[in-house]
Amino acid sequence: MFSETHSLRAGPVHCAWRDYRRGQSAEALVRPWLADTLGTDAFSLDRDARGRPQLRVHGRPGLDANWSHSGEALLVALGDGVAVGVDIEWMRPRPQAMALAQRFFTADEATALDAMPPALAEAAFVRLWCAKEAVLKAHGHGLSFGLDRLRFQARGDDWALVDCDAALGVPGDWTLQAFVPLPGYLATVAWRA
């Protein structure tokens, strides 16, 4: 069950997380949380042509929902007046992380990851993946849009969006917040008005 002790409020976005078991319907778990958070179960949750959830609440335009699951965790976000995207990733060994970075990230990002000590590079890869996926899910196209169509730059332990395809707007349009929802997990929520 989602609980307030497992939640985060960031600007116009409310996130929550809970345990998740493979084979469960993430949407079936998300619906009661949305009903409770919205104060009504009179909403529709349809999918667009790309499969992205489309939340509609009568009399309350501008609401958006998104969710992600990995390992044994489910993360959901509700945005008010913003398009929202989330990604959660279980911190498990990723022996192919650098090969994936070379193939799917920008050359600058792959070079930055390659220059990091191996003990730090894997977590940095996951943080970057979460950031990219959260933005692309908020945009509505998901990973199929292309991970290389937005460029991040390492800033301390985090990543900052510094360039993106015109279809995504400009980097300043986006707000991202990385966080650790549960031990052994990394997550990012991204939104734009």
Side-chain angles (χ1 to χ4, degrees), residues 120-135:
L120 301 177
E122 199 167 282
F125 169 86
V126 173
R127 277 194 184 277
L128 180 55
W129 184 280
C130 280
K132 285 177 172 270
E133 188 163 355
V135 168

Side-chain angles (χ1 to χ4, degrees), residues 15-179:
C15 296
W17 51 91
R18 62 162 290 158
D19 293 341
Y20 174 81
R21 285 188 303 280
R22 192 178 282 289
Q24 288 181 301
S25 165
E27 185 174 323
L29 297 172
V30 164
R31 281 179 174 276
W33 180 81
L34 286 171
D36 186 53
T37 303
L38 294 168
T40 180
D41 60 2
F43 63 87
S44 66
L45 197 54
D46 303 311
R47 299 288 180 144
D48 68 13
R50 291 185 177 88
R52 187 185 193 283
Q54 300 295 304
L55 176 64
R56 291 181 192 15
V57 184
H58 182 70
R60 293 181 67 187
L63 296 174
D64 190 29
N66 197 249
W67 58 85
S68 174
H69 57 83
S70 178
E72 296 178 350
L74 170 65
L75 172 66
V76 61
L78 176 64
D80 189 357
V82 296
V84 64
V86 292
D87 188 42
I88 187 169
E89 294 292 332
W90 174 37
M91 294 300 296
R92 58 179 171 71
R94 287 181 165 79
Q96 299 300 314
M98 293 312 122
L100 289 170
Q102 292 289 333
R103 182 171 177 196
F104 295 109
F105 292 173
T106 68
D108 290 348
E109 294 162 343
T111 298
L113 286 167
D114 194 46
M116 293 179 184
L120 301 177
E122 199 167 282
F125 169 86
V126 173
R127 277 194 184 277
L128 180 55
W129 184 280
C130 280
K132 285 177 172 270
E133 188 163 355
V135 168
L136 294 177
K137 287 175 72 177
H139 173 59
H141 289 247
L143 296 177
S144 66
F145 186 74
L147 292 166
D148 61 336
R149 294 176 69 181
L150 61 166
R151 184 172 59 88
F152 286 78
Q153 195 169 64
R155 301 252 169 96
D157 289 340
D158 216 346
W159 294 91
L161 181 61
V162 295
D163 191 30
C164 56
D165 187 284
L168 296 169
V170 297
D173 293 343
W174 291 96
T175 301
L176 287 91
Q177 183 164 341
F179 60 102

